[in-house]
Amino acid sequence: MTDETGPEFVMISTFRRRTADGFDLATFVIDERECESAAEMKSIRTEALAEIQRRRIAGEFETRRAKAGEPPSTLPRWAQYKRQLEAADAELS
């Protein structure tokens, strides 16, 4: 996201799932740089949070500003992670 005066700061939210042995495992990321707007990022985060709560997945979001020139995360995006959850559900059926 940029404007005529230069880049704005953008946010990155990483969801960290808590494992049974107490570790936090980075699971997926929502990167505002890949969204049309901050509102779209908020919408994706709201959807992800609702689904995570519905599934009772223990964890938390860590949201921070992206650093200038920071490369994209190699973690799955929310849509990819959601498909993984749905595929796991299908295997159990």
Side-chain angles (χ1 to χ4, degrees):
M1 295 176 47
T2 61
D3 61 19
E4 298 83 43
T5 61
E8 301 175 14
F9 71 87
V10 293
M11 304 303 286
I12 297 174
S13 282
T14 304
F15 182 74
R16 298 185 181 283
R17 183 177 54 85
R18 239 173 252 115
T19 62
D21 52 1
F23 292 103
D24 287 343
L25 178 65
T27 309
F28 68 88
V29 68
I30 303 168
D31 190 332
E32 187 178 355
R33 297 172 293 182
E34 298 169 356
C35 298
E36 293 291 320
S37 65
E40 181 186 9
M41 180 183 178
K42 182 178 178 184
S43 175
I44 294 167
R45 192 173 183 277
T46 300
E47 174 194 339
L49 183 58
E51 183 65 14
I52 286 164
Q53 288 175 337
R54 184 185 76 77
R55 291 175 176 271
R56 296 186 173 153
I57 298 172
E60 63 187 5
F61 276 102
E62 172 190 87
T63 302
R64 62 176 179 79
R65 287 184 179 188
K67 297 177 182 87
E70 179 179 348
S73 172
T74 59
L75 290 172
R77 300 317 187 245
W78 165 243
Q80 295 167 304
Y81 184 67
K82 183 179 177 184
R83 284 192 299 271
Q84 291 173 5
L85 293 173
E86 291 166 348
D89 288 348
E91 287 180 11
L92 295 175
S93 299

